[in-house]
Amino acid sequence: MVEIPEQLKYTKEHEWVKIEGDTVVIGITDYAQDALGEIVYIELPSEGDEITKGDPFGSVESTKSVSELYAPVSGEVVEVNEALLDSPETINEDPYGEGWMIKVKPYDLAELDDLMDSEEYADYIESEMEEG
């Protein structure tokens, strides 16, 4: 069973977002890491970089494929999980914990309003699995 924490927000590209004060933490979901398989390489932006909602901010490479990571919000990258660069498999092991990717100071938190909650995301992946 895929883990979908209730307190997070989700994108159709399978990123998750956690609001922490005036920053947001971004990673990929349990469903995404499971679909990707063993993650062997990750490319992330640098601290101080700007990301734009809907645009790629990095990529994840697994033994099966390479997938772009899409920004769920526009803002400035304030922290990068450097540990993932040496141990990308952490994303497979703990996608919602130690496997977080970047922390961003969003320009406009209202951009998060159109993300899915856990229930909507569960329905979304269910319909995606039926199609796939």
Side-chain angles (χ1 to χ4, degrees):
M1 187 62 204
V2 175
E3 190 188 342
I4 306 173
E6 275 181 25
Q7 71 278 19
L8 305 178
K9 295 274 198 188
Y10 300 90
T11 70
K12 287 190 156 95
E13 293 79 32
H14 309 290
E15 283 85 28
W16 58 261
V17 177
K18 178 165 73 175
I19 301 169
E20 284 186 347
D22 64 351
T23 60
V24 294
V25 186
I26 300 169
I28 63 169
T29 66
D30 190 24
Y31 175 79
Q33 71 78 22
D34 188 54
L36 283 165
E38 188 188 339
I39 295 170
V40 294
Y41 179 76
I42 181 163
E43 197 177 305
L44 294 171
S46 303
E47 224 169 276
D49 284 0
E50 284 191 29
I51 63 171
T52 303
K53 180 176 174 141
D55 287 355
F57 69 83
S59 62
V60 170
E61 195 173 316
S62 71
T63 49
K64 292 188 208 168
S65 66
V66 177
S67 294
E68 298 268 29
L69 299 165
Y70 291 94
V73 66
S74 300
E76 183 188 336
V77 177
V78 292
E79 199 177 328
V80 176
N81 189 348
E82 303 281 353
L84 296 182
L85 303 177
D86 294 326
S87 310
E89 68 280 357
T90 304
I91 298 164
N92 293 118
E93 294 156 9
D94 190 10
Y96 299 115
E98 294 298 313
W100 66 273
M101 294 177 175
I102 59 174
K103 294 185 181 180
V104 173
K105 193 174 181 72
Y107 299 139
D108 183 5
L109 274 173
E111 282 190 333
L112 299 174
D113 293 347
D114 59 0
L115 299 184
M116 294 177 275
D117 64 23
S118 58
E119 216 166 278
E120 291 167 319
Y121 183 66
D123 292 343
Y124 176 72
I125 57 178
E126 199 173 293
S127 67
E128 223 179 50
M129 288 194 285
E130 284 166 9
E131 287 166 20

